[in-house]
Amino acid sequence: MTMLREQLLRRKPTAAGGEDYGLKRSIGLFALTMIGVGATIGTGIFYVLSSAVPTAGPAVIWSFVIGGAVAGVTALCYAELAGAVPVSGSTYSYAYATLGEAPAMGVAACLLLEYGVSTAGVAVGWSQYVNELLDNLFGWRIPPELSNAPEQGGILNLPAVIVIVLCALLLLRGTGESAVVNAVMVVVKLGVLVFFVAVALTGWNADHFADFAPAGFQGIVAGAGIIFFSFVGLDAVSTAGGEAKNPKRNLPIAIVLALVIVVTAYVVVAITAVGAQAPEQFDGQTAGLSVILESIIGASWPGTIVAAGAVISIFSVTLVVLYGQTRILFAMSRDGMVPPVFSKLNPRTLAPGRNTMIVAAVVSVLAAVVPINFLLEMTSIGTLVAFLVVSVAVIILRRREPDIERGFTLPLHPLIPILSILGCIWIITQLRPITIVVFAIWTVAFLVFYWFYGRTHSALARPAGSGPDVPFTSTIRNAPEGKR
Amino acid sequence: MKILVAVNPVQRSVAVLDLAAMLARSADAELIVAAVLPVGWQPLARRTDGEWLGHLGESADVVLDHAASVLAGLKASFVQRSAKSAHRGIVDLIEEHSPDIVVVGSSSSGAIGRIAIGSVNGALLHASPVPVAIAPRGFRAGASVRIRRLTAAYGGSDAARDLVISAARVAADIGSRLRLASFAVGPEGSVTAGVGLEAERDIAEEWIRMMDESVDEVLSEVSEMVGAPQLDDAVVGVGDSWAHAMDDVTWTPEDVLVIGSSSLGPVARVFVGSNATKVLRSSPVPAIVVPRGGLR
């Protein structure tokens, strides 16, 4: 029994350092903030209103504030964890180094939702705007049979599949997203939203706010569950923390700044959208932001601009999330948690080719046949549970290893992790029961897979040692470089 | 062994001559130094371009005289040739003299110390039936420098394996050591993906591990050859650009890089693939580009 416990809770030793190839990036406060804004905006605001407004009414504004607050405290917890554990990678890597193998696999199950399923959701959102753009520019739409999931009366969502395939091809060529590209995308995204607000204000009608919270507080919180998807990505700031200048100061400031910018943008967009369109018209709308502008102006050009901006920015988001998924699976494959096919590289381009193709194929199927609401909710629950684990890890780490060097220490401990845990649980309970059930089934299935595969194939099982009590300390940071 | 050296008829360049001399000393070869001049334009019946052609001829004489002085002590002959284009003239000379290798310089518009591909050497890189050696801009080799080490650029493919084998034979022939080098530019990564900015470092490490395995196989094959050359440790260079990747390994003035042709090109002709071109352009040492089928 003890052995099994040791096996399930074995932690990956942290040996940072390694070798650097190329220039070491040194990221300042502004660039960090841009990473937070760029990673967050563009994932949800372009299409969450059509499901959130029917639930919360105009009070969806408060849903954004609540969602943002929860995302903010969890991102701060993540920042402490990332600064304390000398590993680089996703939440999976942090969980593996702090909580152990089995919890890390639980997190991995969540991350497959936060990344893989989210890629599908984002791609479906892209298909809405690409259809709007085609219609406005050429007067032609992809027929509904080929742009809707079966549940919505279609056969499959072809544009969503196409965008995933395009992104996969770019990744196979080794394309990435530099800080400069990100900055450009931030400008595009914010520019489109500012344009939307400016035009939507001309159609302002205060009467739309008459029934501000039709479903009361309950509706607002349920809305927060729906829109939480649009805050996924705020945690990217923390994972960049290892290369940040003066992380103690800049990391929390960047997270808070990014959060303020993002929440402000969302709230302003939500207010003007509701001001421009009666709340009952939101239900089931596709390419919502474009349609709203078109009905105010009575011409298609403002909708075209928004649709074009959305098509560009959602494309970049799809690329990034798909990339993230391939790299998480790559790391897991190297750890022996998933089969080695996920870490095979193409020697010419250095892209993990089969990994990328498998992920793209699976995600394409999801995007083709699953409706967007469900994809977004699965993404939300995966992200929330991963965040929850991060917050728990912060508390555990404070108790177990109070003296390690932390890049950034949360004030008022343990208030913020506890707030984060409660906030995540609160929003999770607002999601549809079907989402929670599917999530539970998925996580259990993934852990069963771990039981039969990862537990025995683990890279930690190969060499001796590395029991659960191997401490890591900040001195490991200066470990000698690995062999070349 | 015969080495064809193609010199620019209007510009004295020491780089190409020094490389030719270094090769000739190492392989004990005879040099044919050729200056290719343009042909006159036939429709100009009154030979209004005569003066210009005369000037080119004189200039080529100066260049070849200079070459003779640089190559003093080596067995060398000097020719002038007229052709419709420089690379066509060089290919004609290759067919005529059937040299074992042709030596050219870099384009004059490149960074000093690196190989620059221009119109003439670029065309040769896609048409030469024999290996092409290219000197970096400003290359210099002392009067007694020989090739001490051939570095075979190894990309992991079967064609690359064949190249290593033929480079090993040449290294054995000229008494130099052989080293395998693999180069890669790490993918860009993504700042907003939330998987850490060092995700690509793991990719690079995995690639290095992968190359190590495949290099071990090739090296054991080489060491089983009869008269195998002395082997140096295989090296990998990874960087955020090809130039950085190349600079990631150490180079000496007695190094020569050997690059294989793309397996996509026509059979038995030099044809440089996209990654090989980048390695070539970033090479700080002279490079020999070998057609499929190998060095002779």
Side-chain angles (χ1 to χ4, degrees):
Chain A
M1 201 57 206
T2 324
M3 243 195 74
L4 182 64
R5 189 168 169 268
E6 274 184 15
Q7 196 177 36
L8 296 184
L9 294 181
R10 59 190 162 202
R11 301 203 308 263
K12 191 175 176 185
T14 54
E19 46 192 299
D20 290 314
Y21 67 90
L23 297 171
K24 183 106 177 142
R25 279 175 279 201
S26 185
I27 302 174
L29 177 61
F30 179 76
L32 268 182
T33 310
M34 285 300 105
I35 288 176
V37 174
T40 314
I41 289 191
T43 49
I45 190 62
F46 287 106
Y47 31 80
V48 287
L49 288 179
S50 64
S51 28
V53 174
T55 308
V60 71
I61 300 158
W62 289 111
S63 305
F64 277 113
V65 174
I66 292 172
V70 173
V73 287
T74 55
L76 288 172
C77 292
Y78 200 169
E80 171 169 326
L81 187 69
V85 186
V87 299
S88 171
S90 60
T91 324
Y92 158 78
S93 310
Y94 292 108
Y96 203 172
T98 53
L99 302 179
E101 197 168 276
M105 283 302 275
V107 168
C110 298
L111 290 184
L112 286 170
L113 300 175
E114 183 180 346
Y115 285 86
V117 174
S118 138
T119 311
V122 173
V124 174
W126 188 82
S127 78
Q128 296 179 1
Y129 278 93
V130 90
N131 234 341
E132 187 67 23
L133 190 62
L134 285 174
D135 194 14
N136 283 357
L137 290 179
F138 308 112
W140 178 82
R141 307 182 76 96
I142 298 165
E145 292 80 17
L146 292 180
S147 53
N148 277 308
E151 195 181 297
Q152 295 154 325
I155 299 168
L156 78 155
N157 192 329
L158 190 61
V161 174
I162 291 173
V163 68
I164 291 167
V165 170
L166 287 178
C167 289
L169 288 176
L170 283 176
L171 291 181
L172 288 175
R173 290 190 62 237
T175 307
E177 188 212 30
S178 61
V180 176
V181 173
N182 175 50
V184 172
M185 293 319 300
V186 168
V187 171
V188 171
K189 290 166 186 173
L190 289 179
V192 168
L193 295 183
V194 167
F195 173 81
F196 171 83
V197 169
V199 178
L201 275 177
T202 64
W204 181 263
N205 181 352
D207 293 345
H208 294 166
F209 293 88
D211 190 8
F212 186 69
F217 187 64
Q218 184 56 36
I220 295 176
V221 184
I226 294 169
I227 58 93
F228 189 76
F229 174 80
S230 47
F231 290 99
V232 174
L234 198 61
D235 47 320
V237 180
S238 315
T239 54
E243 299 189 36
K245 284 181 207 155
N246 192 2
K248 266 192 193 358
R249 167 181 165 270
N250 286 348
L251 216 49
I253 297 182
I255 290 173
V256 171
L257 274 181
L259 187 67
V260 167
I261 295 172
V262 169
V263 170
T264 308
Y266 288 177
V267 166
V268 173
V269 167
I271 291 176
T272 49
V274 175
Q277 176 173 277
E280 53 278 8
Q281 287 174 336
F282 279 89
D283 200 2
Q285 206 167 37
T286 59
L289 298 192
S290 282
V291 175
I292 291 173
L293 294 193
E294 284 167 27
S295 58
I296 298 174
I297 300 290
S300 65
W301 65 267
T304 309
I305 292 177
V306 169
V311 165
I312 295 169
S313 57
I314 302 174
F315 184 91
S316 84
V317 172
T318 313
L319 182 74
V320 167
V321 190
L322 192 65
Y323 163 87
Q325 181 65 85
T326 62
R327 294 322 190 252
I328 290 167
L329 284 168
F330 177 83
M332 291 172 68
S333 171
R334 293 234 297 175
D335 293 338
M337 293 294 114
V338 292
V341 61
F342 287 99
S343 54
K344 282 268 181 298
L345 298 180
N346 174 338
R348 251 180 64 80
T349 60
L350 266 64
R354 284 179 225 176
N355 176 340
T356 308
M357 285 186 254
I358 294 171
V359 171
V362 173
V363 168
S364 296
V365 171
L366 289 178
V369 300
V370 183
I372 187 165
N373 290 356
F374 187 65
L375 292 173
L376 300 192
E377 286 204 4
M378 287 311 295
T379 306
S380 294
I381 195 168
T383 310
L384 284 161
V385 175
F387 279 177
L388 200 127
V389 174
V390 164
S391 310
V392 171
V394 167
I395 295 176
I396 291 180
L397 208 59
R398 282 274 186 123
R399 286 176 62 113
R400 197 178 66 203
E401 298 184 43
D403 301 325
I404 55 169
E405 183 191 320
R406 287 178 166 83
F408 155 66
T409 314
L410 285 170
L412 307 174
H413 188 77
L415 181 68
I416 293 176
I418 287 176
L419 279 179
S420 162
I421 293 168
L422 293 177
C424 289
I425 293 175
W426 189 34
I427 295 187
I428 289 170
T429 56
Q430 302 306 315
L431 297 170
R432 287 186 297 170
I434 175 78
T435 310
I436 298 172
V437 170
V438 172
F439 173 78
I441 294 173
W442 161 247
T443 309
V444 169
F446 200 76
L447 289 175
V448 168
F449 169 74
Y450 163 67
W451 181 266
F452 288 107
Y453 186 89
R455 196 169 57 91
T456 48
H457 288 75
S458 170
L460 296 186
R462 284 167 222 158
S466 331
D469 290 325
V470 177
F472 60 81
T473 63
S474 52
T475 53
I476 297 176
R477 254 176 241 262
N478 305 319
E481 292 204 343
K483 107 174 197 344
R484 164 159 291 191
Chain B
M1 191 173 173
K2 258 193 278 185
I3 298 177
L4 177 67
V5 188
V7 295
N8 183 337
V10 293
Q11 198 172 30
R12 282 181 300 182
S13 158
V14 182
V16 60
L17 299 171
D18 270 13
L19 175 59
M22 179 171 155
L23 292 171
R25 275 192 296 271
S26 307
D28 195 18
E30 147 194 11
L31 296 165
I32 304 159
V33 184
V36 178
L37 298 166
V39 288
W41 204 22
Q42 297 303 330
L44 289 177
R46 279 181 252 166
R47 302 273 301 157
T48 44
D49 56 355
E51 254 188 351
W52 174 64
L53 289 173
H55 164 75
L56 287 179
E58 283 164 28
S59 166
D61 286 341
V62 172
V63 165
L64 292 177
D65 284 349
H66 166 253
S69 69
V70 172
L71 299 173
L74 292 162
K75 208 196 301 174
S77 55
F78 301 88
V79 293
Q80 280 192 30
R81 163 63 58 111
S82 292
K84 278 190 178 159
S85 72
H87 87 268
R88 198 182 288 187
I90 297 170
V91 171
D92 287 349
L93 285 162
I94 292 172
E95 279 164 10
E96 208 166 292
H97 296 276
S98 45
D100 299 281
I101 188 166
V102 52
V103 183
V104 291
S106 277
S107 155
S108 54
S109 59
I112 297 287
R114 303 270 181 194
I115 287 176
I117 310 295
S119 58
V120 178
N121 55 12
L124 262 189
L125 284 178
H126 289 92
S128 172
V130 298
V132 181
I134 308 181
R137 269 198 78 197
F139 175 74
R140 292 292 180 274
S144 57
V145 174
R146 286 160 172 269
I147 301 173
R148 295 276 169 234
R149 179 168 66 182
L150 287 181
T151 299
Y154 179 71
S157 66
D158 285 349
R161 197 191 58 93
D162 294 346
L163 171 88
V164 171
I165 303 291
S166 73
R169 279 198 204 102
V170 172
D173 283 351
I174 65 176
S176 80
R177 304 147 72 85
L178 178 71
R179 166 172 86 160
L180 259 63
S182 305
F183 304 100
V185 169
E188 241 179 314
S190 168
V191 290
T192 60
V195 294
L197 300 183
E198 285 156 31
E200 298 314 308
R201 202 186 62 194
D202 295 343
I203 298 263
E205 277 170 14
E206 178 66 20
W207 174 78
I208 290 169
R209 198 191 57 71
M210 217 169 87
M211 290 318 282
D212 279 351
E213 274 178 17
S214 131
V215 160
D216 283 347
E217 276 174 36
V218 177
L219 285 184
S220 69
E221 198 171 334
V222 168
S223 55
E224 282 160 17
M225 281 168 51
V226 185
Q230 210 180 335
L231 292 174
D232 267 21
D233 284 343
V235 289
V236 290
V238 184
D240 57 359
S241 71
W242 288 96
H244 285 145
M246 300 287 288
D247 290 343
D248 200 21
V249 310
T250 54
W251 300 98
T252 71
E254 294 163 331
D255 273 327
V256 169
L257 178 69
V258 184
I259 300 174
S261 281
S262 163
S263 49
L264 300 173
V267 182
R269 284 266 190 284
V270 166
F271 187 92
V272 191
S274 57
N275 278 359
T277 306
K278 290 167 197 151
V279 168
L280 185 63
R281 281 173 193 275
S282 311
S283 174
V285 298
I288 301 175
V289 185
V290 181
R292 265 192 298 160
L295 287 156
R296 274 182 272 169

